[in-house]
Amino acid sequence: MRGKLITLEGIDGSGKSTICRLLQDEKRFAGCIFTREPTTSWLGDAVNRALRSDTDHIAELMLFLADHADHISRLVRPSLERGSNVISDRYSASRCAYQGSTLTGLFEDPLDWVRTLHKGWTVDPDLIVLFDTDPSVAVKRCGDRGEQSKFEKIEFLKAVRNNYLRLAAEDRERFVVINADRPLNEVKEEVFRIIAHALEGRE
Ligand code: TYD
């Protein structure tokens, strides 16, 4: 039986990566393959270089897409076909939400354009857990961690959040939206329950 693909999404500072680490430490999910985008391959390194510099927005999107294609063929598809469940910290929805914002003004509907670029070759997740958070809380969390990437500005994150909420509204079957402004433990319990339920009978 094919494995399930679950992806975790949200703006910078949403607490998603913290919960992802806790998921990896949890016995119930020990059989899952944990991964992330940008990946840790040389393509992921190229993406991170682009993020640290003033790279053209289309070039940046293409690097993210190249990393995604390699991620799918090298890890995601083979794992699912072997019957393993895969949990990815960020995936296609990050591109739609973030590059859907960086490309504003270049296309009439940048989110939809980015979404279309994935069609026909990507592997769609079975479940997308969206950590929804107030951008002002998220920016504060990023600041407290001493992080300040070019994407961690409040106006930009507001646009990214709106894109995420639009994606969720347009794909209610796959998306689950979590209120991530609550205490970490509450968010963790809810996410663990949702993922355990999605994997029921598979772990
Ligand atoms: P990541 O390393 O996951 O950041 P964090 O751990 O803080 O969540 O991602 C790096 C940045 O790249 C983050 O600001 C989100 C952005 N990003 C995109 O813009 N497009 C994408 O397709 C992906 C996967 C990430």
mmCIF file of all heavy atoms in Angstrom, residues 9-18 21 36-39 47-48 51 60-61 64-65 67-68 89-100 102 114 118 142 145 147 149-152 156-157 160 164, ligand 1:
data_model
loop_
_atom_site.group_PDB
_atom_site.id
_atom_site.type_symbol
_atom_site.label_atom_id
_atom_site.label_comp_id
_atom_site.label_asym_id
_atom_site.label_seq_id
_atom_site.Cartn_x
_atom_site.Cartn_y
_atom_site.Cartn_z
ATOM 1 N N GLU A 9 2.931 23.503 6.920
ATOM 2 C CA GLU A 9 3.085 24.798 6.267
ATOM 3 C C GLU A 9 2.760 25.932 7.226
ATOM 4 O O GLU A 9 2.007 25.738 8.187
ATOM 5 C CB GLU A 9 2.138 24.880 5.052
ATOM 6 C CG GLU A 9 2.449 23.894 3.935
ATOM 7 C CD GLU A 9 3.650 24.337 3.082
ATOM 8 O OE1 GLU A 9 4.207 25.428 3.327
ATOM 9 O OE2 GLU A 9 3.999 23.579 2.154
ATOM 10 N N GLY A 10 3.292 27.111 6.933
ATOM 11 C CA GLY A 10 2.988 28.288 7.744
ATOM 12 C C GLY A 10 4.045 29.355 7.530
ATOM 13 O O GLY A 10 5.117 29.067 6.990
ATOM 14 N N ILE A 11 3.743 30.582 7.969
ATOM 15 C CA ILE A 11 4.707 31.666 7.793
ATOM 16 C C ILE A 11 5.880 31.470 8.750
ATOM 17 O O ILE A 11 5.779 30.725 9.727
ATOM 18 C CB ILE A 11 4.050 33.055 8.002
ATOM 19 C CG1 ILE A 11 3.464 33.208 9.408
ATOM 20 C CG2 ILE A 11 2.987 33.304 6.942
ATOM 21 C CD1 ILE A 11 2.924 34.618 9.688
ATOM 22 N N ASP A 12 6.992 32.155 8.470
ATOM 23 C CA ASP A 12 8.163 32.116 9.349
ATOM 24 C C ASP A 12 7.715 32.521 10.756
ATOM 25 O O ASP A 12 6.971 33.488 10.913
ATOM 26 C CB ASP A 12 9.228 33.116 8.879
ATOM 27 C CG ASP A 12 9.726 32.811 7.485
ATOM 28 O OD1 ASP A 12 9.005 33.112 6.525
ATOM 29 O OD2 ASP A 12 10.821 32.262 7.371
ATOM 30 N N GLY A 13 8.151 31.778 11.752
ATOM 31 C CA GLY A 13 7.802 32.120 13.127
ATOM 32 C C GLY A 13 6.470 31.540 13.567
ATOM 33 O O GLY A 13 5.962 31.862 14.639
ATOM 34 N N SER A 14 5.898 30.632 12.769
ATOM 35 C CA SER A 14 4.595 30.047 13.128
ATOM 36 C C SER A 14 4.741 28.902 14.132
ATOM 37 O O SER A 14 3.742 28.406 14.650
ATOM 38 C CB SER A 14 3.878 29.528 11.876
ATOM 39 O OG SER A 14 4.642 28.511 11.264
ATOM 40 N N GLY A 15 5.962 28.475 14.392
ATOM 41 C CA GLY A 15 6.192 27.383 15.337
ATOM 42 C C GLY A 15 6.206 26.020 14.662
ATOM 43 O O GLY A 15 6.425 24.990 15.309
ATOM 44 N N LYS A 16 6.017 26.017 13.357
ATOM 45 C CA LYS A 16 5.951 24.776 12.577
ATOM 46 C C LYS A 16 7.203 23.904 12.715
ATOM 47 O O LYS A 16 7.102 22.699 12.927
ATOM 48 C CB LYS A 16 5.704 25.210 11.133
ATOM 49 C CG LYS A 16 6.029 24.260 10.064
ATOM 50 C CD LYS A 16 5.891 24.950 8.731
ATOM 51 C CE LYS A 16 6.964 25.978 8.469
ATOM 52 N NZ LYS A 16 8.345 25.520 8.579
ATOM 53 N N SER A 17 8.375 24.527 12.633
ATOM 54 C CA SER A 17 9.612 23.728 12.687
ATOM 55 C C SER A 17 9.836 23.130 14.082
ATOM 56 O O SER A 17 10.362 22.029 14.205
ATOM 57 C CB SER A 17 10.821 24.555 12.256
ATOM 58 O OG SER A 17 10.611 25.001 10.926
ATOM 59 N N THR A 18 9.411 23.857 15.115
ATOM 60 C CA THR A 18 9.526 23.334 16.498
ATOM 61 C C THR A 18 8.665 22.082 16.636
ATOM 62 O O THR A 18 9.109 21.058 17.161
ATOM 63 C CB THR A 18 9.039 24.405 17.514
ATOM 64 O OG1 THR A 18 9.756 25.595 17.266
ATOM 65 C CG2 THR A 18 9.220 23.947 18.944
ATOM 66 N N ARG A 21 10.132 19.119 14.943
ATOM 67 C CA ARG A 21 11.176 18.434 15.736
ATOM 68 C C ARG A 21 10.535 17.533 16.788
ATOM 69 O O ARG A 21 10.991 16.420 17.029
ATOM 70 C CB ARG A 21 12.094 19.467 16.408
ATOM 71 C CG ARG A 21 13.200 19.976 15.482
ATOM 72 C CD ARG A 21 14.252 20.746 16.255
ATOM 73 N NE ARG A 21 13.735 21.997 16.805
ATOM 74 C CZ ARG A 21 13.639 23.142 16.111
ATOM 75 N NH1 ARG A 21 14.023 23.182 14.849
ATOM 76 N NH2 ARG A 21 13.160 24.233 16.674
ATOM 77 N N ARG A 36 12.299 17.948 4.433
ATOM 78 C CA ARG A 36 11.994 19.378 4.420
ATOM 79 C C ARG A 36 12.293 19.993 3.054
ATOM 80 O O ARG A 36 13.023 19.416 2.259
ATOM 81 C CB ARG A 36 12.821 20.110 5.486
ATOM 82 C CG ARG A 36 14.325 19.826 5.415
ATOM 83 C CD ARG A 36 15.144 20.821 6.184
ATOM 84 N NE ARG A 36 15.064 22.115 5.554
ATOM 85 C CZ ARG A 36 14.760 23.252 6.205
ATOM 86 N NH1 ARG A 36 14.557 23.243 7.496
ATOM 87 N NH2 ARG A 36 14.688 24.389 5.558
ATOM 88 N N GLU A 37 11.684 21.147 2.819
ATOM 89 C CA GLU A 37 12.047 21.987 1.674
ATOM 90 C C GLU A 37 12.274 23.392 2.218
ATOM 91 O O GLU A 37 11.466 23.845 3.026
ATOM 92 C CB GLU A 37 10.928 22.008 0.612
ATOM 93 C CG GLU A 37 10.814 20.696 -0.135
ATOM 94 C CD GLU A 37 9.866 20.747 -1.344
ATOM 95 O OE1 GLU A 37 9.446 21.850 -1.743
ATOM 96 O OE2 GLU A 37 9.569 19.672 -1.878
ATOM 97 N N PRO A 38 13.343 24.110 1.820
ATOM 98 C CA PRO A 38 14.380 23.634 0.928
ATOM 99 C C PRO A 38 15.083 22.404 1.511
ATOM 100 O O PRO A 38 15.212 22.281 2.723
ATOM 101 C CB PRO A 38 15.350 24.816 0.810
ATOM 102 C CG PRO A 38 14.841 25.892 1.706
ATOM 103 C CD PRO A 38 13.567 25.483 2.285
ATOM 104 N N THR A 39 15.528 21.504 0.619
ATOM 105 C CA THR A 39 16.145 20.260 1.079
ATOM 106 C C THR A 39 17.584 20.512 1.520
ATOM 107 O O THR A 39 18.084 21.630 1.443
ATOM 108 C CB THR A 39 16.163 19.210 -0.049
ATOM 109 O OG1 THR A 39 17.074 19.656 -1.061
ATOM 110 C CG2 THR A 39 14.783 18.998 -0.651
ATOM 111 N N VAL A 47 19.223 27.176 -3.234
ATOM 112 C CA VAL A 47 18.050 27.951 -2.812
ATOM 113 C C VAL A 47 18.434 28.861 -1.650
ATOM 114 O O VAL A 47 18.116 30.060 -1.647
ATOM 115 C CB VAL A 47 16.906 26.999 -2.372
ATOM 116 C CG1 VAL A 47 15.830 27.760 -1.634
ATOM 117 C CG2 VAL A 47 16.317 26.272 -3.569
ATOM 118 N N ASN A 48 19.154 28.313 -0.681
ATOM 119 C CA ASN A 48 19.518 29.120 0.486
ATOM 120 C C ASN A 48 20.440 30.277 0.107
ATOM 121 O O ASN A 48 20.350 31.355 0.690
ATOM 122 C CB ASN A 48 20.134 28.232 1.574
ATOM 123 C CG ASN A 48 19.053 27.431 2.292
ATOM 124 O OD1 ASN A 48 18.000 27.985 2.654
ATOM 125 N ND2 ASN A 48 19.264 26.138 2.470
ATOM 126 N N LEU A 51 18.267 32.897 -1.266
ATOM 127 C CA LEU A 51 17.506 33.576 -0.206
ATOM 128 C C LEU A 51 18.360 34.618 0.513
ATOM 129 O O LEU A 51 17.844 35.601 1.018
ATOM 130 C CB LEU A 51 16.982 32.556 0.814
ATOM 131 C CG LEU A 51 15.835 31.663 0.348
ATOM 132 C CD1 LEU A 51 15.512 30.612 1.409
ATOM 133 C CD2 LEU A 51 14.595 32.491 0.036
ATOM 134 N N GLU A 60 14.676 32.713 -8.470
ATOM 135 C CA GLU A 60 14.504 32.116 -7.136
ATOM 136 C C GLU A 60 13.418 31.027 -7.172
ATOM 137 O O GLU A 60 13.610 29.925 -6.660
ATOM 138 C CB GLU A 60 14.112 33.238 -6.172
ATOM 139 C CG GLU A 60 14.136 32.877 -4.713
ATOM 140 C CD GLU A 60 13.949 34.137 -3.879
ATOM 141 O OE1 GLU A 60 12.794 34.589 -3.735
ATOM 142 O OE2 GLU A 60 14.950 34.675 -3.402
ATOM 143 N N LEU A 61 12.292 31.342 -7.823
ATOM 144 C CA LEU A 61 11.211 30.356 -7.932
ATOM 145 C C LEU A 61 11.696 29.099 -8.662
ATOM 146 O O LEU A 61 11.404 27.974 -8.241
ATOM 147 C CB LEU A 61 10.021 30.966 -8.696
ATOM 148 C CG LEU A 61 8.970 29.962 -9.176
ATOM 149 C CD1 LEU A 61 8.214 29.357 -7.990
ATOM 150 C CD2 LEU A 61 7.992 30.614 -10.139
ATOM 151 N N PHE A 64 13.723 26.934 -6.404
ATOM 152 C CA PHE A 64 12.832 26.200 -5.487
ATOM 153 C C PHE A 64 12.176 25.016 -6.209
ATOM 154 O O PHE A 64 12.043 23.929 -5.647
ATOM 155 C CB PHE A 64 11.724 27.124 -4.958
ATOM 156 C CG PHE A 64 12.088 27.907 -3.719
ATOM 157 C CD1 PHE A 64 12.104 29.296 -3.729
ATOM 158 C CD2 PHE A 64 12.388 27.271 -2.527
ATOM 159 C CE1 PHE A 64 12.416 30.025 -2.591
ATOM 160 C CE2 PHE A 64 12.689 27.984 -1.370
ATOM 161 C CZ PHE A 64 12.708 29.366 -1.413
ATOM 162 N N LEU A 65 11.760 25.257 -7.468
ATOM 163 C CA LEU A 65 11.093 24.185 -8.226
ATOM 164 C C LEU A 65 12.069 23.047 -8.558
ATOM 165 O O LEU A 65 11.696 21.873 -8.511
ATOM 166 C CB LEU A 65 10.485 24.732 -9.518
ATOM 167 C CG LEU A 65 9.151 25.475 -9.373
ATOM 168 C CD1 LEU A 65 8.780 26.148 -10.685
ATOM 169 C CD2 LEU A 65 8.035 24.529 -8.929
ATOM 170 N N ASP A 67 14.662 22.201 -6.807
ATOM 171 C CA ASP A 67 14.870 21.488 -5.536
ATOM 172 C C ASP A 67 13.687 20.557 -5.256
ATOM 173 O O ASP A 67 13.848 19.418 -4.822
ATOM 174 C CB ASP A 67 15.041 22.533 -4.420
ATOM 175 C CG ASP A 67 15.452 21.917 -3.090
ATOM 176 O OD1 ASP A 67 16.273 20.964 -3.094
ATOM 177 O OD2 ASP A 67 14.964 22.390 -2.036
ATOM 178 N N HIS A 68 12.484 21.043 -5.556
ATOM 179 C CA HIS A 68 11.260 20.256 -5.340
ATOM 180 C C HIS A 68 11.260 19.008 -6.247
ATOM 181 O O HIS A 68 10.960 17.898 -5.791
ATOM 182 C CB HIS A 68 10.050 21.148 -5.636
ATOM 183 C CG HIS A 68 8.726 20.489 -5.437
ATOM 184 N ND1 HIS A 68 8.322 19.965 -4.221
ATOM 185 C CD2 HIS A 68 7.695 20.263 -6.300
ATOM 186 C CE1 HIS A 68 7.105 19.454 -4.360
ATOM 187 N NE2 HIS A 68 6.707 19.610 -5.599
ATOM 188 N N ASP A 89 8.491 19.252 6.229
ATOM 189 C CA ASP A 89 8.438 20.608 6.767
ATOM 190 C C ASP A 89 8.572 21.553 5.562
ATOM 191 O O ASP A 89 9.663 21.712 5.035
ATOM 192 C CB ASP A 89 9.608 20.785 7.757
ATOM 193 C CG ASP A 89 9.625 22.159 8.405
ATOM 194 O OD1 ASP A 89 8.765 22.990 8.074
ATOM 195 O OD2 ASP A 89 10.518 22.409 9.242
ATOM 196 N N ARG A 90 7.461 22.103 5.110
ATOM 197 C CA ARG A 90 7.301 22.903 3.882
ATOM 198 C C ARG A 90 7.308 22.004 2.649
ATOM 199 O O ARG A 90 8.030 21.011 2.585
ATOM 200 C CB ARG A 90 8.368 23.985 3.707
ATOM 201 C CG ARG A 90 8.371 25.050 4.772
ATOM 202 C CD ARG A 90 9.174 26.273 4.317
ATOM 203 N NE ARG A 90 9.202 27.300 5.357
ATOM 204 C CZ ARG A 90 8.194 28.108 5.624
ATOM 205 N NH1 ARG A 90 7.095 28.029 4.920
ATOM 206 N NH2 ARG A 90 8.271 29.003 6.587
ATOM 207 N N TYR A 91 6.522 22.475 1.647
ATOM 208 C CA TYR A 91 6.386 21.731 0.383
ATOM 209 C C TYR A 91 5.774 22.714 -0.631
ATOM 210 O O TYR A 91 6.008 23.928 -0.513
ATOM 211 C CB TYR A 91 5.505 20.493 0.658
ATOM 212 C CG TYR A 91 5.538 19.390 -0.356
ATOM 213 C CD1 TYR A 91 6.649 18.551 -0.474
ATOM 214 C CD2 TYR A 91 4.440 19.164 -1.193
ATOM 215 C CE1 TYR A 91 6.653 17.507 -1.401
ATOM 216 C CE2 TYR A 91 4.441 18.125 -2.112
ATOM 217 C CZ TYR A 91 5.549 17.302 -2.208
ATOM 218 O OH TYR A 91 5.544 16.271 -3.120
ATOM 219 N N SER A 92 4.977 22.228 -1.563
ATOM 220 C CA SER A 92 4.497 23.092 -2.654
ATOM 221 C C SER A 92 3.725 24.337 -2.196
ATOM 222 O O SER A 92 3.832 25.401 -2.830
ATOM 223 C CB SER A 92 3.590 22.303 -3.590
ATOM 224 O OG SER A 92 4.242 21.154 -4.025
ATOM 225 N N ALA A 93 2.953 24.208 -1.138
ATOM 226 C CA ALA A 93 2.148 25.364 -0.707
ATOM 227 C C ALA A 93 3.043 26.538 -0.304
ATOM 228 O O ALA A 93 2.635 27.700 -0.430
ATOM 229 C CB ALA A 93 1.219 24.972 0.439
ATOM 230 N N SER A 94 4.282 26.261 0.167
ATOM 231 C CA SER A 94 5.207 27.360 0.490
ATOM 232 C C SER A 94 5.495 28.186 -0.749
ATOM 233 O O SER A 94 5.555 29.414 -0.706
ATOM 234 C CB SER A 94 6.546 26.823 1.031
ATOM 235 O OG SER A 94 6.438 26.423 2.376
ATOM 236 N N ARG A 95 5.689 27.486 -1.867
ATOM 237 C CA ARG A 95 5.958 28.202 -3.117
ATOM 238 C C ARG A 95 4.759 29.066 -3.521
ATOM 239 O O ARG A 95 4.898 30.222 -3.900
ATOM 240 C CB ARG A 95 6.236 27.207 -4.249
ATOM 241 C CG ARG A 95 7.559 27.471 -4.906
ATOM 242 C CD ARG A 95 8.389 26.293 -5.104
ATOM 243 N NE ARG A 95 7.767 25.020 -5.017
ATOM 244 C CZ ARG A 95 8.025 24.149 -4.045
ATOM 245 N NH1 ARG A 95 8.848 24.444 -3.072
ATOM 246 N NH2 ARG A 95 7.433 22.975 -4.027
ATOM 247 N N CYS A 96 3.567 28.460 -3.466
ATOM 248 C CA CYS A 96 2.361 29.212 -3.855
ATOM 249 C C CYS A 96 2.195 30.435 -2.954
ATOM 250 O O CYS A 96 1.853 31.521 -3.421
ATOM 251 C CB CYS A 96 1.133 28.319 -3.769
ATOM 252 S SG CYS A 96 1.195 26.937 -4.908
ATOM 253 N N ALA A 97 2.444 30.266 -1.654
ATOM 254 C CA ALA A 97 2.219 31.369 -0.713
ATOM 255 C C ALA A 97 3.339 32.411 -0.776
ATOM 256 O O ALA A 97 3.058 33.614 -0.850
ATOM 257 C CB ALA A 97 2.082 30.823 0.706
ATOM 258 N N TYR A 98 4.604 31.959 -0.756
ATOM 259 C CA TYR A 98 5.729 32.916 -0.732
ATOM 260 C C TYR A 98 6.005 33.501 -2.121
ATOM 261 O O TYR A 98 6.056 34.708 -2.287
ATOM 262 C CB TYR A 98 7.009 32.245 -0.190
ATOM 263 C CG TYR A 98 7.044 32.132 1.307
ATOM 264 C CD1 TYR A 98 6.309 31.147 1.976
ATOM 265 C CD2 TYR A 98 7.799 33.002 2.079
ATOM 266 C CE1 TYR A 98 6.334 31.032 3.357
ATOM 267 C CE2 TYR A 98 7.834 32.903 3.466
ATOM 268 C CZ TYR A 98 7.108 31.921 4.099
ATOM 269 O OH TYR A 98 7.141 31.806 5.470
ATOM 270 N N GLN A 99 6.211 32.644 -3.123
ATOM 271 C CA GLN A 99 6.506 33.183 -4.451
ATOM 272 C C GLN A 99 5.235 33.808 -5.045
ATOM 273 O O GLN A 99 5.321 34.717 -5.873
ATOM 274 C CB GLN A 99 7.111 32.111 -5.354
ATOM 275 C CG GLN A 99 8.629 31.937 -5.139
ATOM 276 C CD GLN A 99 8.988 31.492 -3.724
ATOM 277 O OE1 GLN A 99 8.489 30.489 -3.232
ATOM 278 N NE2 GLN A 99 9.846 32.251 -3.048
ATOM 279 N N GLY A 100 4.068 33.368 -4.575
ATOM 280 C CA GLY A 100 2.824 34.040 -4.954
ATOM 281 C C GLY A 100 2.822 35.476 -4.456
ATOM 282 O O GLY A 100 2.086 36.317 -4.962
ATOM 283 N N THR A 102 6.106 37.207 -3.733
ATOM 284 C CA THR A 102 7.262 37.922 -4.317
ATOM 285 C C THR A 102 6.988 38.313 -5.772
ATOM 286 O O THR A 102 7.549 39.273 -6.268
ATOM 287 C CB THR A 102 8.560 37.070 -4.284
ATOM 288 O OG1 THR A 102 8.339 35.849 -5.000
ATOM 289 C CG2 THR A 102 9.019 36.754 -2.880
ATOM 290 N N VAL A 114 1.936 30.059 -10.005
ATOM 291 C CA VAL A 114 2.899 29.153 -9.349
ATOM 292 C C VAL A 114 2.259 27.774 -9.143
ATOM 293 O O VAL A 114 2.891 26.742 -9.387
ATOM 294 C CB VAL A 114 3.391 29.744 -8.000
ATOM 295 C CG1 VAL A 114 4.268 28.750 -7.263
ATOM 296 C CG2 VAL A 114 4.140 31.053 -8.216
ATOM 297 N N HIS A 118 3.218 23.546 -11.001
ATOM 298 C CA HIS A 118 3.429 22.243 -10.353
ATOM 299 C C HIS A 118 2.640 21.104 -11.019
ATOM 300 O O HIS A 118 2.905 19.937 -10.766
ATOM 301 C CB HIS A 118 2.992 22.293 -8.884
ATOM 302 C CG HIS A 118 3.912 23.076 -7.996
ATOM 303 N ND1 HIS A 118 3.884 24.441 -7.917
ATOM 304 C CD2 HIS A 118 4.881 22.672 -7.149
ATOM 305 C CE1 HIS A 118 4.799 24.856 -7.053
ATOM 306 N NE2 HIS A 118 5.419 23.803 -6.572
ATOM 307 N N CYS A 142 10.413 35.502 15.423
ATOM 308 C CA CYS A 142 11.628 35.461 14.586
ATOM 309 C C CYS A 142 12.681 36.383 15.172
ATOM 310 O O CYS A 142 13.854 36.019 15.276
ATOM 311 C CB CYS A 142 11.339 35.906 13.150
ATOM 312 S SG CYS A 142 10.264 34.782 12.263
ATOM 313 N N ARG A 145 14.454 35.035 18.113
ATOM 314 C CA ARG A 145 15.436 33.993 17.780
ATOM 315 C C ARG A 145 16.664 34.592 17.112
ATOM 316 O O ARG A 145 17.567 33.875 16.714
ATOM 317 C CB ARG A 145 14.819 32.985 16.782
ATOM 318 C CG ARG A 145 13.729 32.119 17.339
ATOM 319 C CD ARG A 145 13.544 30.903 16.456
ATOM 320 N NE ARG A 145 13.235 31.250 15.079
ATOM 321 C CZ ARG A 145 12.083 30.923 14.462
ATOM 322 N NH1 ARG A 145 11.160 30.266 15.114
ATOM 323 N NH2 ARG A 145 11.880 31.242 13.204
ATOM 324 N N GLU A 147 16.625 35.840 14.235
ATOM 325 C CA GLU A 147 16.537 35.599 12.793
ATOM 326 C C GLU A 147 15.907 36.806 12.131
ATOM 327 O O GLU A 147 14.987 37.392 12.638
ATOM 328 C CB GLU A 147 15.632 34.395 12.509
ATOM 329 C CG GLU A 147 16.275 33.072 12.827
ATOM 330 C CD GLU A 147 15.297 31.924 12.593
ATOM 331 O OE1 GLU A 147 14.351 32.083 11.805
ATOM 332 O OE2 GLU A 147 15.493 30.880 13.230
ATOM 333 N N SER A 149 15.403 37.111 8.166
ATOM 334 C CA SER A 149 15.657 36.881 6.743
ATOM 335 C C SER A 149 14.858 37.909 5.964
ATOM 336 O O SER A 149 14.024 38.624 6.518
ATOM 337 C CB SER A 149 15.258 35.473 6.334
ATOM 338 O OG SER A 149 13.892 35.442 6.018
ATOM 339 N N LYS A 150 15.089 37.946 4.649
ATOM 340 C CA LYS A 150 14.397 38.962 3.860
ATOM 341 C C LYS A 150 12.890 38.732 3.823
ATOM 342 O O LYS A 150 12.142 39.613 3.468
ATOM 343 C CB LYS A 150 14.985 39.026 2.453
ATOM 344 C CG LYS A 150 14.814 37.778 1.624
ATOM 345 C CD LYS A 150 15.425 38.011 0.238
ATOM 346 C CE LYS A 150 15.347 36.765 -0.602
ATOM 347 N NZ LYS A 150 15.959 36.949 -1.904
ATOM 348 N N PHE A 151 12.437 37.510 4.204
ATOM 349 C CA PHE A 151 11.008 37.218 4.174
ATOM 350 C C PHE A 151 10.307 37.505 5.507
ATOM 351 O O PHE A 151 9.125 37.308 5.638
ATOM 352 C CB PHE A 151 10.770 35.751 3.803
ATOM 353 C CG PHE A 151 11.054 35.448 2.350
ATOM 354 C CD1 PHE A 151 11.259 34.139 1.941
ATOM 355 C CD2 PHE A 151 11.089 36.452 1.399
ATOM 356 C CE1 PHE A 151 11.507 33.845 0.607
ATOM 357 C CE2 PHE A 151 11.335 36.171 0.062
ATOM 358 C CZ PHE A 151 11.549 34.860 -0.334
ATOM 359 N N GLU A 152 11.075 37.930 6.517
ATOM 360 C CA GLU A 152 10.472 38.047 7.842
ATOM 361 C C GLU A 152 10.001 39.468 8.175
ATOM 362 O O GLU A 152 10.150 39.955 9.283
ATOM 363 C CB GLU A 152 11.433 37.480 8.896
ATOM 364 C CG GLU A 152 11.521 35.966 8.772
ATOM 365 C CD GLU A 152 12.685 35.336 9.516
ATOM 366 O OE1 GLU A 152 13.359 36.060 10.262
ATOM 367 O OE2 GLU A 152 12.894 34.118 9.331
ATOM 368 N N PHE A 156 5.100 41.664 4.280
ATOM 369 C CA PHE A 156 5.283 40.513 3.394
ATOM 370 C C PHE A 156 4.591 39.276 3.992
ATOM 371 O O PHE A 156 3.860 38.556 3.310
ATOM 372 C CB PHE A 156 6.781 40.249 3.176
ATOM 373 C CG PHE A 156 7.033 39.083 2.266
ATOM 374 C CD1 PHE A 156 6.849 39.203 0.900
ATOM 375 C CD2 PHE A 156 7.417 37.845 2.777
ATOM 376 C CE1 PHE A 156 7.049 38.116 0.047
ATOM 377 C CE2 PHE A 156 7.613 36.758 1.947
ATOM 378 C CZ PHE A 156 7.432 36.893 0.574
ATOM 379 N N LEU A 157 4.795 39.065 5.289
ATOM 380 C CA LEU A 157 4.191 37.876 5.921
ATOM 381 C C LEU A 157 2.666 37.943 5.934
ATOM 382 O O LEU A 157 2.001 36.912 5.879
ATOM 383 C CB LEU A 157 4.755 37.668 7.333
ATOM 384 C CG LEU A 157 6.221 37.205 7.384
ATOM 385 C CD1 LEU A 157 6.662 36.992 8.824
ATOM 386 C CD2 LEU A 157 6.428 35.914 6.589
ATOM 387 N N VAL A 160 1.723 36.648 2.623
ATOM 388 C CA VAL A 160 1.949 35.193 2.561
ATOM 389 C C VAL A 160 0.832 34.475 3.310
ATOM 390 O O VAL A 160 0.282 33.474 2.831
ATOM 391 C CB VAL A 160 3.336 34.831 3.155
ATOM 392 C CG1 VAL A 160 3.521 33.321 3.192
ATOM 393 C CG2 VAL A 160 4.454 35.475 2.352
ATOM 394 N N TYR A 164 -1.813 31.665 1.970
ATOM 395 C CA TYR A 164 -2.035 30.349 2.593
ATOM 396 C C TYR A 164 -3.529 30.133 2.864
ATOM 397 O O TYR A 164 -4.067 29.053 2.619
ATOM 398 C CB TYR A 164 -1.280 30.258 3.919
ATOM 399 C CG TYR A 164 0.119 29.696 3.846
ATOM 400 C CD1 TYR A 164 1.184 30.365 4.439
ATOM 401 C CD2 TYR A 164 0.384 28.466 3.222
ATOM 402 C CE1 TYR A 164 2.476 29.839 4.407
ATOM 403 C CE2 TYR A 164 1.668 27.945 3.189
ATOM 404 C CZ TYR A 164 2.708 28.625 3.784
ATOM 405 O OH TYR A 164 3.967 28.092 3.758
HETATM 406 P P1 TYD B 1 12.862 27.380 6.038
HETATM 407 O O1 TYD B 1 14.307 27.004 6.074
HETATM 408 O O2 TYD B 1 11.834 26.333 6.163
HETATM 409 O O3 TYD B 1 12.608 28.510 7.120
HETATM 410 P P2 TYD B 1 12.018 28.274 8.575
HETATM 411 O O4 TYD B 1 12.733 27.089 9.155
HETATM 412 O O5 TYD B 1 12.333 29.571 9.248
HETATM 413 O O6 TYD B 1 10.545 28.029 8.398
HETATM 414 O O7 TYD B 1 12.584 28.167 4.694
HETATM 415 C C1 TYD B 1 13.414 29.235 4.331
HETATM 416 C C2 TYD B 1 12.595 30.312 3.719
HETATM 417 O O8 TYD B 1 12.222 29.942 2.400
HETATM 418 C C3 TYD B 1 11.312 30.644 4.457
HETATM 419 O O9 TYD B 1 11.253 32.065 4.624
HETATM 420 C C4 TYD B 1 10.235 30.201 3.522
HETATM 421 C C5 TYD B 1 10.877 30.289 2.168
HETATM 422 N N1 TYD B 1 10.348 29.396 1.119
HETATM 423 C C6 TYD B 1 9.853 29.952 -0.057
HETATM 424 O O10 TYD B 1 9.835 31.172 -0.213
HETATM 425 N N2 TYD B 1 9.396 29.125 -1.039
HETATM 426 C C7 TYD B 1 9.426 27.769 -0.923
HETATM 427 O O11 TYD B 1 9.005 27.061 -1.857
HETATM 428 C C8 TYD B 1 9.956 27.202 0.292
HETATM 429 C C9 TYD B 1 10.025 25.710 0.448
HETATM 430 C C10 TYD B 1 10.407 28.046 1.288
#
